[in-house]
């Protein structure tokens, strides 16, 4: 059987010379025509509306996925000042060898959109794990985009990506997903600002209602939280819960990690920890949280 590329060599030498010349001329003419067309001011396509499907590749800055807070030293302890996503401040004191500030801290917040619950969090490896260098499906404004369901994510559905200053927050949209109008409402009515020390504070209005301290969804605490660590490292979750000793539950970020998790209450704050036995013991005994007034 002849090789599939033998057709290029068919015919006499003169014929091959003319074919080669024709190919060269074609390669020269096409760029020239394209250049002339590009100079025509009337040939430009209109810019897509903010809610149109996006067809071109889009590069999104990965942004910070954890905040490392400067710590003050007092004896054998370190002290850091933190801000929860609802704007409430707190002082966190812990044994210096826990290196809590070096784990990095991420905000978490639950929300309802027209009565449908969704979670807002920061992906541990940044938004690159959502975008994958690919393209969004749609834009709902300059700071909100929709991304395809990630391979292996099961029923997590598509992902809404929000840009709040230096922070990138994601909202998984499982099942049939929110409607177009609900997603537009999120883009208009969910707001975030960054404090001078780098923490994210969220607010909602209209059809967007943020979960308050002590709120639960399917038994899981979903009010404003701060998560230290993650990935393959230890995790500490600080969860404000009024009447904590009676109402606290182990958060899913702790319970779903595949190794033991524990929690304790200090006043109206739950301290939930996952990690080695030694880390859990030292964290639960040594972390002290004082909420601001």
């Amino acid at each position: 059987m002849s090789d599939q590329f033998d057709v290029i060599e068919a015919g006499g030498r003169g014929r091959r010379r003319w074919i080669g010349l024709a190919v060269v001329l074609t390669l020269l003419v096409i760029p020239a025509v394209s250049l002339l067309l590009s100079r025509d001011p009337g040939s430009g396509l209109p810019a897509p509306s903010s809610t149109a499907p996006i067809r071109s590749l889009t590069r999104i800055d990965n942004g910070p996925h954890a905040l490392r807070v400067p710590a003050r030293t007092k004896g054998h302890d370190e002290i850091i000042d933190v801000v929860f996503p609802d704007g409430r401040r707190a002082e966190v004191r812990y044994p210096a060898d826990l290196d809590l500030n070096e784990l990095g801290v991420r905000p978490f917040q639950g929300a309802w959109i027209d009565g449908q619950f969704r979670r807002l969090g920061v992906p541990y490896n940044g938004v690159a794990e959502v975008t994958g260098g690919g393209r969004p499906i749609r834009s709902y404004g300059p700071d909100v985009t929709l991304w395809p369901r990630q391979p292996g994510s099961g029923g997590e559905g598509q992902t809404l990506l929000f840009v709040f200053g230096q922070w990138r927050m994601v909202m998984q949209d499982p099942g049939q997903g929110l409607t177009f109008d609900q997603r537009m409402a999120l883009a208009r009515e969910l707001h975030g600002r960054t404090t001078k020390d780098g923490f994210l504070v969220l607010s909602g209005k209209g059809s967007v209602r943020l979960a308050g301290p002590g709120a639960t969804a399917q038994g899981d605490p979903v009010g404003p939280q701060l998560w230290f660590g993650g990935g393959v490292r230890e995790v500490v979750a600080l969860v404000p819960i009024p009447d904590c000793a009676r109402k606290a539950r182990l958060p899913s970020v702790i319970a779903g990690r595949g190794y033991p998790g524990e929690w304790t209450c200090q006043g109206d704050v739950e301290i939930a920890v996952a990690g080695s036995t030694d880390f859990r013991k030292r964290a639960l005994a040594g972390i002290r949280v004082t909420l601001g007034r």
Side-chain angles (χ1 to χ4, degrees):
M1 179 182 293
S2 299
D3 188 274
Q4 62 176 324
F5 297 110
D6 285 351
V7 67
I8 299 176
E9 299 297 326
R13 181 177 300 176
R15 184 180 178 184
R16 291 199 301 271
R17 183 180 299 113
W18 283 108
I19 291 174
L21 180 59
V23 171
V24 171
L25 288 174
T26 300
L27 293 175
L28 291 174
V29 169
I30 291 176
V33 172
S34 299
L35 180 60
L36 290 174
L37 290 175
S38 68
R39 292 179 177 177
D40 181 4
S43 65
L45 295 175
S49 67
S50 62
T51 58
I54 296 176
R55 300 302 182 191
S56 60
L57 290 175
T58 301
R59 179 183 179 276
I60 294 183
D61 180 18
N62 201 35
H65 48 86
L67 177 67
R68 286 176 172 79
V69 189
R72 310 186 301 276
T73 301
K74 189 170 184 179
H76 297 292
D77 293 341
E78 288 184 340
I79 301 172
I80 57 176
D81 297 316
V82 300
V83 182
F84 287 91
D86 62 349
R88 190 164 190 181
R89 292 183 170 270
E91 180 184 271
V92 182
R93 182 168 180 164
Y94 56 92
D97 59 359
L98 281 179
D99 288 330
L100 199 60
N101 64 323
E102 290 300 318
L103 291 176
V105 60
R106 294 174 289 150
F108 169 87
Q109 176 69 60
W112 284 271
I113 304 91
D114 286 336
Q116 297 191 55
F117 179 74
R118 294 294 184 270
R119 302 169 185 269
L120 268 168
V122 179
Y124 182 74
N125 294 310
V127 297
E129 69 184 42
V130 174
T131 65
R135 66 185 69 186
I137 300 171
R138 186 178 294 274
S139 171
Y140 296 97
D143 298 323
V144 185
T145 48
L146 179 69
W147 294 82
R149 181 179 67 85
Q150 299 301 301
S153 63
E156 289 296 333
Q158 296 172 334
T159 301
L160 286 162
L161 173 63
F162 298 82
V163 177
F164 299 121
Q166 65 177 356
W167 286 99
R168 310 293 185 265
M169 298 282 282
V170 296
M171 177 183 287
Q172 302 292 341
D173 197 8
Q176 294 183 349
L178 301 171
T179 66
F180 174 83
D181 289 340
Q182 288 170 330
R183 290 170 174 173
M184 285 298 298
L186 276 168
R188 292 191 307 266
E189 299 169 358
L190 178 63
H191 303 285
R193 64 178 178 85
T194 304
T195 66
K196 64 180 181 179
D197 37 5
F199 288 92
L200 177 65
V201 176
L202 296 167
S203 60
K205 62 179 183 179
S207 57
V208 178
R209 178 171 63 89
L210 300 184
T216 61
Q218 297 179 340
D220 187 33
V222 295
Q225 303 173 27
L226 293 175
W227 297 350
F228 292 82
V232 298
R233 306 182 69 183
E234 298 89 352
V235 178
V236 174
L238 303 183
V239 188
I241 300 178
D243 196 7
C244 179
R246 188 170 64 89
K247 297 180 179 179
R249 300 290 186 275
L250 196 64
S252 58
V253 68
I254 302 296
R257 298 191 61 79
Y259 46 83
E262 300 180 65
W263 61 270
T264 188
C265 285
Q266 287 186 14
D268 288 339
V269 179
E270 176 184 2
I271 302 171
V273 182
S276 67
T277 302
D278 178 64
F279 180 83
R280 298 198 313 271
K281 180 179 179 180
R282 289 186 294 120
L284 292 174
I287 296 176
R288 296 288 181 269
V289 181
T290 305
L291 285 174
R293 298 294 182 182

